[in-house]
Amino acid sequence: MIRMSCICVDAMGGDERPEVVLAGIEAALAESDDLSVLVVGDEDVVVPFCAHHERTRALVSTEVIAMDEHPTNAVRSKRDSSIVRGLAAVRTGEADGFFSAGSTGAIFAAASLGVGRTKGVKRACIATAVPGIMGRSTVFLDMGANADVRPDMMVQFAHMGRAYARTVLGVGDPTVALLSNGAEETKGSQAALAEHEALAAASGDAGWFVGNCEGTDLLAGRFDVIVTDGFSGNIALKSVEGCAKFIVSQLREIAASSPRYATGAWLLKPGLKGLVSKLSGDQYGGAMLLGLKAPVLIGHGATSPEAVKNGVLAAQRACAAKLVERLAAEVQAEP
Amino acid sequence: MIRMSCICVDAMGGDERPEVVLAGIEAALAESDDLSVLVVGDEDVVVPFCAHHERTRALVSTEVIAMDEHPTNAVRSKRDSSIVRGLAAVRTGEADGFFSAGSTGAIFAAASLGVGRTKGVKRACIATAVPGIMGRSTVFLDMGANADVRPDMMVQFAHMGRAYARTVLGVGDPTVALLSNGAEETKGSQAALAEHEALAAASGDAGWFVGNCEGTDLLAGRFDVIVTDGFSGNIALKSVEGCAKFIVSQLREIAASSPRYATGAWLLKPGLKGLVSKLSGDQYGGAMLLGLKAPVLIGHGATSPEAVKNGVLAAQRACAAKLVERLAAEVQAEP
């Protein structure tokens, strides 16, 4: 029998109005009978919603952390914000996991303080599953939580990434590659060369570490896990995002330049929507904080009911698959 | 009166057959009367071509450095390769600049040894002009020559990038941003924070340094110059390349999935070709080595006659615009 999981969902998170988040919660509840939701946010948003939906409970908060606030300052000063209150509910066991489409920095800061790290984990980090050519996805971390990473931390990132790939991608023995400025093992900054050495030593005969990879491999589906520090990881993902935006802007210009192209773009348009949603990471529910005592998921800021639904269900699946326990076992097995 | 520039062109460079490079040289000669070309490569390739083309001269070499050879080893062992011989001709003054679509690593190694650095330049680096939204381009460096960069070197990269932006983009007082994992000045690795401080100090009241930028800014056309170390720079550009490939593969899949989408893709196809060439950097003739005593340009490996023509003409323009002298003045003005 599958135990029901309770996911706390931040109704105030994201660039959209709370109605989008609420529609996503409704869709998630309709899709899964094993889900209950603790909805945190302004009283006039969460109380009426929960009064009309089974398997929901309202948690009233009075403050909201905006997308552009300084993360740690906001978390410290807004103790009654939906993010801080929601993560406190996870700490006390009122909820098993958390989902918000709010500020990544604020959620990371509040979760590190509020939920706490798994025993043995040196640094929590942020992972996401990116799509790849031929339908094969890759778990990518760290997305930006740790700008500087020691080699022993990078080894832990690899273990955490493997645990996540097993759970979300269903891969039995995930391969791990290190992002660098060339595939050859002699390529890399001084930091990357030291990380390469530590990963090779940790992998040893098990052979899950397959060496360096390049930025072109990020969306190529060649590796199950790609690890890097949060500085390069953020730059890589933001460069992909910028490229996608550039291509969309160019397609608009091309479409506007002639009736032939306008017709072509109009015919293709419905197909392109799925592509944008794939690249935004909504498919797997957004980004997952790894190394914490409970699953915490962050949705894309410019969200949709579908993206919220996927995020809430991904948090529920992480609970059901015991991701936190698996990750702890993987990290603690390391000498 | 404009002095004629002689550009040495490597007929053997690139993934394509020499015919593609020769067609590019022919097109460049047709477009510019002030250009002469020293064509370096196998005897049976360069001699017949030069016999039938005015303003060309053949330089016979017997070896070729392949795209996948170890750069410094290949440069050391293949002394009679088209790359090494061509760059030697630049050193002796037989040619004013060099263009090859061959291995970036080999050309960088051979040029650093053969042509030599401009006085005062601590490290040569590789720059490219990337396209941006609204038609505004950005000079991006270092693309991968220097994995680790000291703050004082990054300041020189900024000066070199500004000299290049003046020459190729025609911007009077170019702005410079530092690539980081967030736009706020508190964001960055320890190395990036130190680089930020050094750039702010060097810019001072002149105000050309405008702070951090993110990967999303790479193709946004918001800044004239974006500087970073060769590790992050390579990752950013390769991530953009991987994203473009992914989108192309997805467009193919979408087009194959229904007659409607197939028709749309067929109508759009001619328009998309220009987009691919924009993203490949062919528009500005490829990547330029900065900090050397002569202009050295590297074309994209998967090249076309059009890309070769642009590269040769870009090298000629760099000679005519006295890029090397301007760059030296900019770097040497620094205390």
Side-chain angles (χ1 to χ4, degrees), chain A residues 70 131-135 144 147-148 179-182 186-192 214-216 218-219 228-232 234-236 238-247 249-251 253-255 260-261 263-272 275 278-279, chain B residues 70 131-135 144 147-148 179-182 186-192 214-216 218-219 228-232 234-236 238-247 249-251 253-255 260-261 263-272 275 278-279:
Chain A
H70 187 281
I133 291 166
M134 309 288 287
D148 291 288
L179 187 63
S180 189
N181 60 330
T186 54
K187 283 283 190 172
S189 59
Q190 292 303 314
E214 300 188 88
T216 37
L218 195 54
L219 303 182
T228 186
D229 59 71
F231 186 75
S232 304
N234 184 280
I235 287 174
K238 293 273 176 74
S239 296
V240 163
E241 193 184 325
C243 176
K245 273 189 192 160
F246 176 75
I247 289 177
S249 83
Q250 294 295 302
L251 284 176
E253 268 185 35
I254 292 168
R260 174 190 169 136
Y261 295 155
T263 311
W266 176 79
L267 287 170
L268 265 178
K269 205 172 178 182
L272 294 177
L275 175 55
K278 255 191 198 173
L279 275 170
Chain B
H70 187 280
I133 291 168
M134 310 287 288
D148 290 288
L179 187 62
S180 189
N181 61 329
T186 54
K187 283 282 189 174
S189 58
Q190 292 303 314
E214 300 186 87
T216 38
L218 196 52
L219 302 181
T228 185
D229 58 72
F231 185 77
S232 304
N234 183 281
I235 287 174
K238 293 272 177 74
S239 297
V240 163
E241 192 185 327
C243 176
K245 275 189 190 160
F246 176 76
I247 290 177
S249 83
Q250 295 295 303
L251 284 176
E253 267 186 36
I254 292 169
R260 172 187 171 139
Y261 295 155
T263 310
W266 176 78
L267 288 170
L268 265 179
K269 205 172 178 183
L272 295 178
L275 175 55
K278 254 191 199 174
L279 275 170

Side-chain angles (χ1 to χ4, degrees), chain A residues 243-312:
Chain A
C243 176
K245 273 189 192 160
F246 176 75
I247 289 177
V248 168
S249 83
Q250 294 295 302
L251 284 176
R252 282 219 183 92
E253 268 185 35
I254 292 168
S257 69
S258 88
R260 174 190 169 136
Y261 295 155
T263 311
W266 176 79
L267 287 170
L268 265 178
K269 205 172 178 182
L272 294 177
K273 281 204 173 154
L275 175 55
V276 170
S277 124
K278 255 191 198 173
L279 275 170
S280 70
D282 289 345
Q283 200 182 2
Y284 297 98
M288 169 86 87
L289 304 195
L290 296 181
L292 300 180
K293 286 177 184 155
V296 174
L297 266 99
I298 306 172
H300 207 261
T303 204
S304 65
E306 177 77 11
V308 171
K309 182 195 83 175
N310 289 345
V312 175

Side-chain angles (χ1 to χ4, degrees), chain A residues 17-35:
Chain A
R17 293 162 305 136
E19 285 77 3
V20 174
V21 179
L22 298 179
I25 296 174
E26 196 167 61
L29 287 164
E31 198 159 311
S32 169
D33 292 335
D34 306 314
L35 172 71

